[in-house]
Amino acid sequence: MHSSRIQLIVVAGLLIAVGVGLTLYKAVELGFPLWPGEDRQVWTLESKITFTPGDGPVEVSLALPHPMAGWKLLDENFASAGFGFAVQGQDGERRAVWSRRSMDEKTTLYYKIQLYREQSQPLPAMAPKVVQPPSLPARRQQVVDRLVASLTEKSVDDASFTRLLIAEFVRSQPSQEVTFLLSEHDRKALPAMEEVFAVAGIASQRIKGVYLENGRRRQQVSDLLEVYLGDKKQGDEWLLFDPETGEIGLAENFFIWQRGGGSTLDVIGGNRSRLEFAMVSNSLPAKTVLLMEPEVASAPLLDFSIYALPVEQQGVFKNILLVPIGAFLVVLLRVFVGLRTAGTFMPILIALAFIQTTLVTGLWVFLVVVSIGLWIRSYLSHLNLLLVARVSAVVVVVVLLMAAFSIVSYKLGIDQALTVTFFPTIILSWTIERMSVLWEEEGGKEVFIQGSGSLVVAVATYLLVSNHLIEHLTFNFPELMLSLLGVILVLGQYSGYRLSELYRFRYLKEQVK
Amino acid sequence: MPLIWPSELRQLGIVGMNRRNVEYIARNNERRCYPMVDNKLKTKLAATEWGIDVPELYGEVRYQYQARRLENLIADRETFVIKPAQGCGGKGILVIVGRRGNRFIKPNGCELSLRELKGHVSNILSGLFSLGGRLDVAMVEELVNFDDRFANYSYEGVPDVRVVVYKGYPVMAMLRCSTRESDGKANLHQGAVGIGIDIVSGTSICAVQHNRNVDRHPDTGHSFENLKIPQWPKILKLAAGCQEMTGLGYLGADVVLDADRGPLILEINARPGLAIQIANRIGLRKRLAEIDQLKAGPRDVDSRIADSCRLFVSR
Ligand SMILES: Nc1ncnc2c1ncn2[C@@H]1O[C@H](COP(=O)(O)OP(=O)(O)O)[C@@H](O)[C@H]1O
Ligand SMILES: [Mg+2]
């Protein structure tokens, strides 16, 4: 046996052993689940404070969330370059305070948290504040009084009063009183309703929070209104609703930032301040989320795992970690089956695009764009262009095609076709270029063989990587990549027959005695 | 037709693509030797240096602006061949067999103008026929006038002899004849006929087209039965000599037989195909193993050929 071969077997064996060993250690010692179990949605919520500073010192104070209703905070990060920074606690409410002598530029401050909802819980009991009847201008007082009187007459208790009031506000054609009140409050339902409740002597308070939607940026604080219904059997009872939509109850995806209390953001010494949120969500196995909680001691190995990264980067890694799986499959299909593909690793990139587009749509989009591209490319070939110019021309054509595709399908109401943008432009262009050269040189048959070969590999890769178990293993046990590397090294030495050769040499069967 | 079992392939000693790549190419062919064979221009220059016979090079066109150069190269030659230096599989090879003023005649009788020739050269230069679309060089070389004794075996094209040479020893040979389907090119996957040739005698063993046995040429109808290649020892010698020139341990030499000049090296392949095993009805494996067992050490071409003939006598 060659010495290089022994060396390879040793290296491959070591890699495989290390990968499997680490995996077992994590599974057995640290309790990582080997099988995908229940998933938890972990949100990364980034709050962005922007403001234009004035001449003097600046102080920015942000109310920090106190998770309730079953939400749990996993991690908290502040970015405050060049600022004095402190977290201050005042009667159970925490505020982050950034301060600085002077500034002359528009500035952005960040506060980032990771959170997930362990279970849906009702809000904790809370005593109401004493209601102060407001002093209103005479005309407005009259209108509110009239509204309160008519609603009180129709209702049996504060709860039904509230529901009737909400109904009044969300009606498609609100009554004169409501229209008047809304116009007095810049068409905002929230302050108008608060006024009505105050006049009616019902305690109410605002709840500030964020509607979580995956991938949203520039989301603003939303206000809910909570109305005190009295001290019932279960304790203080409140009725909560969204004054804009009239929806009663706490939405699953509403994260409460502040309940009652004062302002969310105060900027002293600056103006035009804004508070905006960006968010992404990730599905992680429930057990893994448990490991991420600050209370759980941080295991040394965990600190160097992908979980040490911010969730956003983890999301990116999720896709990158699937590439080796695809590469492995390509090796298998080429070495054992003898499938011919156009471009060795192009199928993997197509498969990654399929993950975004879903399989069937992805296949259609791909076939349509590539065939139109081929048709246009065949025209370009008559013009005798230099190669670089030709490929660039194809890139432009592909981008135009993608734009046209998106616009037409959007107009037709086929949302899915919009996903065409997930295909990397350059990949599509190269596919088209290679296919058309192949067509000129080897004819349509070869294009068909290699094209379908590529698609078969892409679809197989897609099916493999979208498998829940594979996804779970690659993400939670990235050290398995080492084992995969070892296996690929061994496969690189395989010198047996390919499946396609059993067909190619089939006529030699007569030779066998 | 059912598939053949791996065990049967093993029994026949067939070398598959994986084994060829892992055991023969990767182990015997150093990467630094590739450029010389992957570029026909370099091969030709090296061959001239080593005294190996090749079709004469009239000249080459390297840049698009050198279109005038083509006219000078052609001058008033009646016959010539234009081909890309880095082409493969017969792509981009333009054979001109005659001339009528400024009209150039292809083997199938079509006529081309000088303008069309220039267009073809421009395509070659921009890499249309080269692997991966690399910029290329167009060469103009002498037309090989093939030996009349081959006339019945080939349709509109020069037949060439492929000899697989392992560590300098010729191990297997095959004559490749073009057909109407292969469009005058002698490349098997395009439909040319491959005829296995006995290493010792230079006589035909069996003919295949599309991996399948055939008895006669599909276009000329001529039987391959009594085919014997003239000047066979010279062909073997020429092919075996390529080992020293290229430094490749595993190579396929393409030899053509010119009516006047005798055997010429047309090109050398660092990754010769495996279809030769079908045309010879036998696998390469045993033969390569026998060479591996020979005493190592440098030996001259003649004794290597003698060894091959001793080892590979058939029937
Ligand atoms: N100088 C030549 N004269 C006649 N025919 C040629 C000449 N060069 C090439 N050919 C024809 O083209 C075929 C392929 O040529 P070759 O140089 O082997 O290129 P490739 O690398 O593309 O196989 C040959 O088998 C032969 O039929
Ligand atoms: Mg050739």
Side-chain angles (χ1 to χ4, degrees):
Chain A
M1 207 154 53
H2 286 248
S3 73
S4 70
R5 189 149 192 178
I6 299 175
Q7 205 177 343
L8 180 119
I9 289 176
V10 170
V11 171
L14 270 179
L15 285 173
I16 296 176
V18 169
V20 173
L22 280 177
T23 303
L24 287 180
Y25 171 72
K26 267 168 85 172
V28 177
E29 286 293 313
L30 302 181
F32 272 74
L34 268 178
W35 302 102
E38 209 186 324
D39 269 350
R40 282 286 144 78
Q41 228 183 4
V42 176
W43 290 89
T44 300
L45 187 61
E46 185 181 75
S47 345
K48 191 168 130 191
I49 303 164
T50 47
F51 62 93
T52 318
D55 296 330
V58 186
E59 186 178 286
V60 180
S61 138
L62 174 74
L64 298 182
H66 176 68
M68 49 184 100
W71 286 94
K72 280 205 143 192
L73 227 54
L74 289 175
D75 193 19
E76 216 175 16
N77 275 298
F78 301 87
S80 46
F83 278 79
F85 172 75
V87 176
Q88 297 172 351
Q90 303 161 335
D91 40 342
E93 199 193 292
R94 293 189 311 146
R95 293 192 81 87
V97 181
W98 289 269
S99 53
R100 189 167 165 163
R101 273 283 161 71
S102 70
M103 289 192 61
D104 36 41
E105 275 178 345
K106 195 171 172 231
T107 310
T108 313
L109 296 170
Y110 293 96
Y111 168 60
K112 189 151 92 178
I113 50 177
Q114 283 179 26
L115 46 116
Y116 78 102
R117 197 165 200 184
E118 197 176 30
Q119 68 216 113
S120 288
Q121 275 175 348
L123 291 176
M126 185 175 183
K129 292 215 180 78
V130 184
V131 189
Q132 300 277 342
S135 55
L136 302 175
R139 169 126 173 73
R140 206 148 112 203
Q141 185 76 47
Q142 261 182 4
V143 173
V144 178
D145 281 343
R146 219 177 325 143
L147 187 60
V148 169
S150 84
L151 290 178
T152 319
E153 199 175 300
K154 287 185 243 167
S155 62
V156 286
D157 56 4
D158 289 353
S160 57
F161 179 90
T162 308
R163 284 169 204 277
L164 285 172
L165 181 68
I166 296 171
E168 282 290 326
F169 270 83
V170 297
R171 269 220 315 247
S172 54
Q173 272 165 336
S175 64
Q176 270 180 356
E177 288 89 356
V178 172
T179 317
F180 173 76
L181 274 183
L182 280 174
S183 68
E184 288 281 290
H185 289 101
D186 288 341
R187 311 218 48 79
K188 293 217 172 62
L190 179 81
M193 285 171 140
E194 274 179 322
E195 206 165 276
V196 177
F197 285 122
V199 169
I202 300 172
S204 71
Q205 64 183 11
R206 291 184 186 193
I207 286 185
K208 290 181 186 141
V210 189
Y211 279 108
L212 299 176
E213 288 166 58
N214 193 10
R216 264 304 281 264
R217 323 202 128 260
R218 332 203 79 200
Q219 179 89 301
Q220 311 256 338
V221 173
S222 307
D223 289 281
L224 304 183
L225 200 55
E226 204 178 20
V227 176
Y228 186 61
L229 298 181
D231 193 358
K232 299 286 170 61
K233 277 168 268 135
Q234 306 92 328
D236 298 317
E237 196 173 315
W238 295 82
L239 181 70
L240 182 155
F241 62 92
D242 185 331
E244 292 299 330
T245 61
E247 238 163 79
I248 294 176
L250 187 62
E252 268 304 305
N253 65 336
F254 191 84
F255 175 66
I256 297 182
W257 197 272
Q258 244 186 325
R259 187 184 187 200
S263 62
T264 315
L265 176 69
D266 289 323
V267 178
I268 302 167
N271 49 42
R272 275 187 274 158
S273 60
R274 287 175 77 85
L275 175 61
E276 283 171 346
F277 300 93
M279 56 207 92
V280 281
S281 100
N282 272 288
S283 281
L284 299 182
K287 278 196 187 163
T288 314
V289 174
L290 271 184
L291 291 170
M292 289 166 66
E293 281 183 32
E295 302 98 75
V296 181
S298 54
L301 210 63
L302 221 54
D303 248 11
F304 289 97
S305 72
I306 289 182
Y307 290 114
L309 295 174
V311 166
E312 269 167 285
Q313 267 81 339
Q314 290 183 17
V316 176
F317 253 95
K318 220 177 204 167
N319 278 336
I320 292 182
L321 285 174
L322 295 177
V323 174
I325 304 284
F328 176 66
L329 199 68
V330 169
V331 172
L332 279 188
L333 289 177
R334 285 182 76 112
V335 167
F336 285 107
V337 180
L339 219 54
R340 264 180 293 165
T341 59
T344 315
F345 291 109
M346 195 186 72
I348 303 181
L349 297 169
I350 301 178
L352 286 183
F354 283 165
I355 294 180
Q356 313 282 329
T357 59
T358 71
L359 187 57
V360 179
T361 341
L363 270 176
W364 272 113
V365 169
F366 181 81
L367 285 178
V368 170
V369 173
V370 169
S371 16
I372 300 180
L374 269 179
W375 180 59
I376 293 177
R377 165 65 178 72
S378 76
Y379 170 71
L380 285 178
S381 82
H382 290 304
L383 303 182
N384 280 335
L385 301 179
L386 290 178
L387 183 81
V388 199
R390 207 168 54 209
V391 176
S392 309
V394 174
V395 170
V396 175
V397 167
V398 166
V399 170
L400 283 176
L401 271 179
M402 284 164 80
F405 211 75
S406 302
I407 294 169
V408 170
S409 57
Y410 182 72
K411 293 279 178 206
L412 293 178
I414 317 168
D415 273 357
Q416 288 160 316
L418 287 174
T419 52
V420 65
T421 46
F422 286 117
F423 284 101
T425 323
I426 304 294
I427 295 302
L428 280 178
S429 311
W430 263 113
T431 310
I432 291 168
E433 178 61 26
R434 288 191 68 117
M435 293 289 187
S436 66
V437 170
L438 208 60
W439 199 303
E440 280 167 19
E441 292 178 354
E442 313 267 345
K445 191 177 156 207
E446 195 60 26
V447 171
F448 179 76
I449 291 178
Q450 295 200 10
S452 42
S454 303
L455 278 185
V456 165
V457 177
V459 170
T461 310
Y462 167 82
L463 292 179
L464 194 67
V465 298
S466 56
N467 175 295
H468 203 53
L469 177 63
I470 301 270
E471 209 179 345
H472 170 84
L473 286 178
T474 50
F475 192 55
N476 288 280
F477 302 99
E479 50 278 352
L480 278 177
M481 294 296 131
L482 291 176
S483 307
L484 199 66
L485 179 61
V487 174
I488 290 178
L489 290 185
V490 172
L491 287 187
Q493 291 276 305
Y494 173 75
S495 56
Y497 299 108
R498 299 177 176 176
L499 207 56
S500 61
E501 283 168 346
L502 303 186
Y503 176 77
R504 181 185 181 191
F505 293 116
R506 66 195 182 282
Y507 293 115
L508 281 176
K509 215 176 166 81
E510 301 150 17
Q511 264 358 92
V512 188
K513 279 134 236 158
Chain B
M1 189 81 190
L3 302 182
I4 186 165
W5 292 109
S7 59
E8 294 170 322
L9 283 178
R10 224 169 291 131
Q11 191 191 329
L12 291 172
I14 299 291
V15 170
M17 203 63 115
N18 291 327
R19 188 175 300 280
R20 183 200 73 173
N21 293 343
V22 171
E23 288 189 8
Y24 301 115
I25 294 187
R27 265 184 219 156
N28 295 292
N29 293 354
E30 283 179 54
R31 278 231 79 92
R32 64 179 172 80
C33 303
Y34 281 46
M36 188 207 279
V37 293
D38 284 348
N39 188 323
K40 293 191 175 92
L41 198 58
K42 287 187 186 164
T43 318
K44 209 177 273 289
L45 297 179
T48 323
E49 210 173 290
W50 280 79
I52 288 177
D53 293 336
V54 287
E56 188 195 336
L57 177 70
Y58 294 153
E60 77 274 355
V61 183
R62 288 182 184 273
Y63 307 105
Q64 297 278 3
Y65 63 78
Q66 285 180 324
R68 281 306 296 266
R69 189 168 155 74
L70 182 69
E71 279 172 63
N72 296 340
L73 286 179
I74 295 175
D76 45 26
R77 293 181 207 280
E78 289 281 317
T79 62
F80 54 89
V81 174
I82 301 179
K83 59 163 94 168
Q86 300 181 54
C88 64
K91 278 171 265 174
I93 295 181
L94 185 63
V95 179
I96 299 298
V97 292
R99 182 165 179 174
R100 217 169 284 137
N102 256 345
R103 311 285 297 171
F104 300 90
I105 306 165
K106 295 210 286 181
N108 60 9
C110 288
E111 289 187 10
L112 296 178
S113 65
L114 188 62
R115 228 182 98 86
E116 284 169 304
L117 287 192
K118 283 182 184 166
H120 185 74
V121 167
S122 161
N123 274 342
I124 291 178
L125 295 186
S126 61
L128 186 61
F129 307 107
S130 334
L131 276 173
R134 270 174 296 168
L135 292 190
D136 206 346
V137 175
M139 356 183 338
V140 183
E141 69 176 20
E142 170 194 1
L143 172 78
V144 175
N145 288 310
F146 62 87
D147 205 291
D148 272 346
R149 281 164 282 188
F150 284 139
N152 288 328
Y153 296 119
S154 195
Y155 181 84
E156 286 181 0
V158 182
D160 65 8
V161 182
R162 158 68 56 88
V163 184
V164 173
V165 179
Y166 183 56
K167 296 186 174 171
Y169 296 83
V171 285
M172 212 174 261
M174 159 173 77
L175 176 71
R176 300 184 301 179
C177 299
S178 44
T179 59
R180 188 196 297 271
E181 191 186 338
S182 76
D183 196 21
K185 287 162 200 151
N187 295 87
L188 290 195
H189 71 272
Q190 288 172 336
V193 179
I195 302 122
I197 301 291
D198 182 50
I199 278 281
V200 184
S201 60
T203 50
S204 62
I205 296 173
C206 136
V208 292
Q209 189 188 24
H210 291 303
N211 298 334
R212 220 184 159 152
N213 281 10
V214 287
D215 292 334
R216 5 189 111 252
H217 192 283
D219 305 309
T220 66
H222 204 81
S223 163
F224 295 115
E225 191 78 51
N226 295 316
L227 187 142
K228 181 168 188 332
I229 297 185
Q231 306 193 42
W232 182 243
K234 250 178 126 177
I235 292 181
L236 281 185
K237 195 164 169 178
L238 198 61
C242 290
Q243 197 273 325
E244 275 97 349
M245 176 182 117
T246 58
L248 292 171
Y250 184 74
L251 62 88
D254 287 359
V255 186
V256 281
L257 204 55
D258 188 82
D260 314 313
R261 297 186 56 201
L264 306 173
I265 288 284
L266 198 53
E267 67 154 346
I268 299 171
N269 277 288
R271 314 165 193 82
L274 298 169
I276 196 169
Q277 303 175 103
I278 307 177
N280 277 274
R281 285 185 172 153
I282 190 164
L284 272 164
R285 189 108 189 257
K286 285 192 199 100
R287 294 194 173 188
L288 297 175
E290 277 176 275
I291 299 293
D292 276 329
Q293 257 145 36
L294 286 179
K295 271 205 308 289
R299 318 191 47 200
D300 65 358
V301 175
D302 288 319
S303 54
R304 289 202 309 253
I305 292 175
D307 274 340
S308 282
C309 290
R310 181 172 52 78
L311 288 170
F312 306 138
V313 249
S314 58
R315 279 166 288 191

